[in-house]
Amino acid sequence: MPLPAEVKGLIFDCDGTLLDTMPLHWKAWCAICKETGLKFDKESFFALAGVPGREIIRELANQQGINLDPLEVYARKRSFFLKGLQSVKIIPCVVRFVLEARRLGIPTAVASGSSRVQVEQALIEAGIRDLFDEIVGNEDYQNAKPHPDAFLTAAERLGINPHDCWAFEDS
């Protein structure tokens, strides 16, 4: 799977791109909604993929008139997610690009809408953390996806012009 010579860096989203985490995220959302009374349907879940969970919780609570601490609820949602990481599998066709880049000496990064701690733990559990030079989580940039901030931050940390990078994203 050859990469064009002009590609100087590869940047990957994590959830749903490198790792098949979406079923686990949905399970964690269902658990936290049951605890808090928040309503969050599967269509909205997929539509908001890449948006930080704390922002989703804040918006849902505001819309539904539920008084809660979004950061505390997000921490509990993340805890549900982290407990289930052993079930997460890599997405082989995407990881092959990472392996080819590493073989060629092309730097790689992950740019995620999830927290850096969560991404690091998921990559470690999947056995692929050592394939990436940089990990960018939602605390590392200003504007959430669909804004390009996550990918621009990753390119900057790799020391590569964003125009010389390929990005892999599912949302």
Side-chain angles (χ1 to χ4, degrees):
M1 172 177 337
L3 292 168
E6 64 269 12
V7 175
K8 306 288 186 251
L10 299 182
I11 304 170
F12 298 84
D13 176 34
C14 184
D15 296 314
T17 301
L18 286 168
L19 302 177
D20 187 16
T21 56
M22 297 313 276
L24 179 56
H25 274 294
W26 176 242
K27 188 175 179 180
W29 275 110
C30 289
I32 207 65
C33 286
K34 184 176 182 182
E35 276 188 11
T36 62
L38 290 171
K39 293 182 182 24
F40 191 42
D41 62 56
K42 208 165 199 175
E43 183 178 319
S44 298
F45 165 72
F46 283 111
L48 293 171
V51 176
R54 65 185 179 273
E55 298 303 321
I56 293 171
I57 292 165
R58 181 176 288 115
E59 186 60 30
L60 291 174
N62 286 341
Q63 290 172 355
Q64 298 169 26
I66 297 175
N67 188 18
L68 50 74
D69 178 353
L71 295 179
E72 187 270 328
V73 173
Y74 176 65
R76 291 197 334 253
K77 186 266 179 192
R78 184 171 55 196
S79 177
F80 279 120
F81 176 83
L82 293 174
K83 286 178 188 171
L85 278 177
Q86 70 281 357
S87 68
V88 171
K89 305 286 185 233
I90 65 168
I91 299 176
C93 61
V94 178
V95 173
R96 280 196 290 272
F97 277 99
V98 182
L99 293 171
E100 176 66 7
R102 300 309 292 181
R103 187 184 72 73
L104 296 171
I106 297 172
T108 58
V110 175
S112 181
S114 294
S115 71
R116 189 177 338 100
V117 168
Q118 185 170 299
V119 172
E120 292 264 5
Q121 287 184 307
L123 295 171
I124 289 168
E125 189 70 35
I128 62 171
R129 170 56 186 98
D130 61 336
L131 298 178
F132 299 96
D133 301 297
E134 294 289 338
I135 306 294
V136 173
N138 62 24
E139 64 272 38
D140 297 319
Y141 53 87
Q142 183 72 33
N143 298 302
K145 295 176 183 179
H147 295 281
D149 293 25
F151 294 99
L152 295 174
T153 301
E156 179 183 323
R157 288 187 179 177
L158 289 174
I160 300 170
N161 185 320
H163 296 288
D164 295 329
C165 295
W166 273 10
F168 294 76
E169 169 69 61
D170 67 321
S171 61

